Amino acid sequence: MNSKTQKVLLISGIVFPEIGGPATYVHNLQKELRRKGFTVDLISYNAFTRKLPIGIRHLALWLQLLVKGLFYDQMWAFDVFSAGVPAYFAAKILKKNFLVRIGGDSLWEAYIARTEEMILLSDFYKEKRQYTLKEKLMSWSIRQVVSGADAVVFSTQWMYDIWKQPYQICKDSVYIIENAYVPYDLRNENNNQVVEGQKIFVCPTRETFFKNKKMLIEVFEQLSKPNDDIALDTKPLSHKEHIRRIKASYAVVIPSLSEVSPNLLLDAMSVGIPYIMTKDSGYAYRFPGCGILVDPRSREDLKHAMTKILDPQIYISLKERAKHVRINRTYADVTLDFEHNFLK
């Protein structure tokens, strides 16, 4: 079969213009594949099915996929649980090639949100956990999807190393395709957001347990008493405004228990701003000398890192290294990886 005649159905839990990495990723991948001449369509939950209870909404999407999937050669899911589970079982029945991209770990997130245990993702599967019925179903479903998929795509080797044994993933089906990152060119813009005499730390994070926002705020409140020139900015902004904010900031902070491939780090590196970040990440050692890694379970470690980065000599050294980092990976590059690996 000529590669350009292959029809691909993309399945995602959320879609553009909704805010979220998977929505942006799938939107741009679809656009690039169409530009190259491929027939590509996208399916997701609608306003009604999204409100249904877990399991029932999976069933609703599965029924849709059984019909729509008839007209496509390949089915690609961009979330292992909400999109991957119904897509996998539909693809099996229809005998279609099935790919799943792993962007995070929904089971780990659900477990620590329920128990409020400070467990790193890299430690999560090292011992047996007491799952609820829902979590047992999630674990079983994820194992079925990744062990039975024709291709499993990870954004980092780190995440694959965590999942390969507990989910029995066949090495031959694994592909590492790094995320896209196209920095905004702000070099010719006036940086009028800088507040003279104030050191702004940026951490626009969700109210989710694994993001560890509560600890960050508590540590920051302690530090702000003797340091009245520091401020913490956690407001959500559009991406371009967010990049402008980072360029005007002192540093970014990523205090999450774990992060697979944090875009906030790439945002900071694109404009030469140092970081404080969890050591439990696929990007932990990607930009050495540009920031400080912390144990996110330790309040004292986070406080020490923030105190350390306020030291002028240390900060100048970190910023000097950060401003020489160059990153640029387009969605055309990502699409080319998908095309070469799966649409030959």
Side-chain angles (χ1 to χ4, degrees):
M1 180 184 291
N2 185 306
S3 65
K4 292 294 173 69
T5 66
Q6 292 194 57
K7 298 179 180 180
V8 183
L9 181 60
L10 310 179
I11 307 101
S12 178
I14 57 174
V15 292
F16 188 82
E18 293 176 272
I19 296 173
T24 303
Y25 192 101
V26 174
H27 171 74
N28 284 287
L29 181 62
Q30 180 185 31
K31 185 167 64 175
E32 286 295 326
L33 285 170
R34 283 179 172 173
R35 186 180 63 80
K36 285 174 167 282
F38 291 99
T39 300
V40 187
D41 205 352
L42 172 62
I43 189 169
S44 182
Y45 295 97
N46 57 38
F48 172 72
T49 56
R50 190 165 297 174
K51 295 177 182 177
L52 295 173
I54 189 171
I56 297 176
R57 67 171 176 263
H58 284 75
L59 179 61
L61 182 58
W62 175 71
L63 291 171
Q64 286 182 275
L65 289 168
L66 283 178
V67 177
K68 195 155 189 173
L70 286 168
F71 306 99
Y72 293 85
D73 303 298
Q74 300 203 36
M75 299 171 71
W76 297 357
F78 290 83
D79 173 275
V80 71
F81 187 64
S82 64
V85 171
Y88 169 70
F89 288 106
K92 288 286 283 184
I93 291 172
L94 298 174
K95 300 187 185 312
K96 305 292 184 179
N97 284 338
F98 175 72
L99 173 153
V100 61
R101 178 181 178 271
I102 312 300
D105 192 317
S106 51
L107 176 61
W108 166 72
E109 288 184 32
Y111 181 88
I112 63 171
R114 175 177 63 85
T115 63
E116 296 192 351
E117 294 180 52
M118 302 287 277
I119 303 171
L120 302 180
L121 177 54
S122 60
D123 291 335
F124 184 63
Y125 296 100
K126 291 179 179 177
E127 60 183 79
K128 193 171 183 180
R129 307 287 174 188
Q130 294 298 314
Y131 293 149
T132 62
L133 177 59
K134 174 186 171 182
E135 290 160 358
K136 287 177 181 177
L137 287 171
M138 289 178 72
S139 176
W140 179 85
S141 299
I142 293 170
R143 183 173 288 104
Q144 297 304 306
V145 172
V146 296
S147 63
D150 297 294
V152 184
V153 175
F154 292 90
S155 62
T156 65
Q157 180 71 34
W158 179 80
M159 186 65 179
Y160 166 59
D161 289 340
I162 291 171
W163 271 35
K164 62 183 177 184
Q165 187 171 350
Y167 288 119
Q168 302 167 11
I169 305 172
C170 175
K171 184 179 179 181
D172 293 339
S173 68
V174 171
Y175 299 82
I176 310 296
I177 298 180
E178 285 203 17
N179 288 348
Y181 189 76
V182 185
Y184 284 106
D185 187 355
L186 302 179
R187 287 171 296 183
N188 297 321
E189 294 192 7
N190 291 324
N191 196 354
N192 54 15
Q193 284 188 319
V194 174
V195 179
E196 291 298 329
Q198 193 168 43
K199 300 180 178 73
I200 300 174
F201 290 81
V202 172
C203 179
T205 187
R206 292 178 284 141
E207 297 289 345
T208 308
F209 184 79
F210 85 90
K211 292 293 186 180
N212 210 16
K213 187 175 181 179
K214 182 181 177 183
M215 181 187 289
L216 173 63
I217 291 173
E218 290 173 353
V219 168
F220 192 83
E221 286 175 350
Q222 292 176 13
L223 283 175
S224 62
K225 292 175 182 177
N227 300 281
D228 58 5
D229 60 340
I230 65 173
L232 180 64
D233 187 344
T234 62
K235 298 186 300 293
L237 294 174
S238 69
H239 192 210
K240 193 163 187 177
E241 289 302 316
H242 168 63
I243 299 299
R244 289 196 183 105
R245 165 178 59 184
I246 291 176
K247 188 180 180 185
S249 74
Y250 187 78
V252 301
V253 188
I254 307 171
S256 309
L257 289 174
S258 305
E259 287 282 356
V260 178
S261 47
N263 287 325
L264 180 56
L265 176 63
L266 299 179
D267 292 337
M269 291 299 94
S270 74
V271 290
I273 296 298
Y275 61 84
I276 295 171
M277 187 179 82
T278 174
K279 67 179 182 180
D280 203 55
S281 171
Y283 284 176
Y285 301 99
R286 184 168 180 177
F287 304 109
C290 299
I292 301 171
L293 298 176
V294 299
D295 181 343
R297 299 164 297 184
S298 169
R299 195 180 309 272
E300 285 305 310
D301 203 24
L302 180 57
K303 184 178 179 180
H304 175 71
M306 295 187 74
T307 302
K308 188 176 179 180
I309 207 169
L310 287 169
D311 182 300
Q313 281 190 310
I314 293 173
Y315 182 76
I316 289 169
S317 174
L318 295 175
K319 190 162 186 178
E320 187 64 25
R321 290 288 295 271
K323 76 179 185 181
H324 288 102
V325 171
R326 296 290 180 268
I327 53 173
N328 189 9
R329 175 170 164 79
T330 68
Y331 276 102
D333 297 326
V334 171
T335 304
L336 195 61
D337 286 344
F338 274 87
E339 182 182 359
H340 283 173
N341 287 308
F342 315 120
L343 294 171
K344 294 176 182 177

